[in-house]
Amino acid sequence: MPPVSDVGYIGLGNIGKPSATRLLQGPWQTHVYDVNEAASLDLARLGAVSSASPAELAARCQHIGICVRDETQVEALLYGEQGLFNNAATGTLIAIHSTVTFAALNRWGDDASRADLQLIDAAITGGQQGAAAGTLCYMVGGSIENLNRARPVFTTSAENIVHAGALGAGMLLKLCNNLMTYAEFMAMSEACKLAEAGGLSIQALREVGQSNGVVNESMYRFVENRNAATAHAPDSRMENPFSAFGMLAEKDLDCALKSAQDLEVDLPSTRRLRQVVHDLFMNKA
């Protein structure tokens, strides 16, 4: 397979935009698309090509990354007259970075094969700061050959690339990681509530928890940052900046529970976490 000359990136949100910006370091032409044209134009000013549509981007690129909000948005990009499956050249590699279900990835993989395209899942963790700093962790599902094709592209924003297994395995690993993260946040939130009700110092809880490995820094920072944010907008979900994170948590846990159902695994505690996770981000848990 010849070296990639054109790389495309669709979805220029909090993680997608800094990830796409780092693609400009590579020895290829970077093409970008987002429904928010202003985001694409920002990248164009740095040297990217702003595409007018997903079809236009697909026709020019040998590697295309998708980093949009949810499964429905990915579907809209892959299918239809303007979709990637109908417009990408034979052999194009499509990398799904969005958090979606295990079943969706396998269905998309089958349809990609029928279109003579390659598809891998490449879930990411590390957030906006990690994308900007190039310290993301990529969890990849698919053949090792396709991972090796994609590795130079991923390396522009990755500190660690984990090959989890066959198609869907990277996304399943991400769903498991997210599940544990939200459970940690819940445990820390409720422990802080109990401690404060009994007159204990949260700093003392942090100190003891860190000494025995129960509390990590992200757990403490979550509660600290959430409480600071909700103090400025305690009664309004629309005004609270953490409300958006709560909605993403709901979406992520929905994906985990749907994947568990497809794999015939029961996750009763995760079902309960899903019921209360939005309020966790709103300082009500």
Side-chain angles (χ1 to χ4, degrees), residues 49-277:
V49 175
S50 177
S51 299
S53 68
E56 180 181 295
L57 181 147
R60 297 177 176 177
C61 299
Q62 302 87 49
H63 176 115
I64 303 170
I66 297 177
C67 190
V68 293
R69 186 182 188 280
D70 56 29
E71 205 163 293
T72 300
Q73 292 182 353
V74 176
E75 291 260 355
L77 290 167
L78 295 178
Y79 295 95
E81 185 177 344
Q82 293 292 307
L84 305 189
F85 287 165
N86 276 333
N87 292 280
T90 298
T92 297
L93 179 66
I94 300 171
I96 307 296
H97 303 303
S98 306
T99 302
V100 298
T101 62
F102 183 75
L105 278 165
N106 282 281
R107 176 165 50 83
W108 298 337
D110 289 342
D111 290 341
S113 295
R114 281 189 280 271
D116 292 324
L117 305 172
Q118 303 295 320
L119 187 138
I120 61 175
D121 52 298
I124 47 183
T125 187
Q128 183 178 8
Q129 291 183 335
T135 58
L136 293 176
C137 176
Y138 280 72
M139 295 152 279
V140 181
S143 71
I144 190 64
E145 292 79 13
N146 281 337
L147 171 56
N148 287 337
R149 282 183 61 188
R151 191 180 295 274
V153 177
F154 295 163
T155 299
T156 60
S157 56
E159 183 175 65
N160 191 20
I161 300 173
V162 178
H163 185 214
L167 185 68
M171 195 59 61
L172 196 60
L173 185 57
K174 169 69 181 293
L175 294 175
C176 292
N177 181 77
N178 283 4
L179 187 161
M180 292 188 294
T181 298
Y182 298 134
E184 284 184 341
F185 290 170
M186 177 65 74
M188 187 66 183
S189 178
E190 295 196 348
C192 287
K193 181 179 288 188
L194 177 61
E196 288 181 318
L200 295 175
S201 163
I202 299 304
Q203 182 58 38
L205 177 64
R206 177 191 186 193
E207 184 178 349
V208 171
Q210 288 184 326
S211 71
N212 62 20
V214 171
V215 174
N216 59 54
E217 190 63 16
S218 66
M219 293 165 65
Y220 176 77
R221 292 299 176 194
F222 164 74
V223 171
E224 183 180 59
N225 293 337
R226 180 205 60 185
N227 291 350
T230 54
H232 296 291
D235 300 318
S236 172
R237 289 191 174 201
M238 296 302 294
E239 294 177 6
N240 191 316
F242 263 50
S243 183
F245 293 112
M247 289 186 284
L248 284 175
E250 289 178 320
K251 185 263 295 184
D252 289 351
L253 290 173
D254 283 341
C255 288
L257 289 167
K258 178 60 168 62
S259 297
Q261 181 181 10
D262 292 339
L263 294 169
E264 300 182 345
V265 175
D266 187 29
L267 303 177
S269 298
T270 304
R271 288 199 301 272
R272 176 56 183 158
L273 177 59
R274 167 61 181 85
Q275 292 172 350
V276 299
V277 71

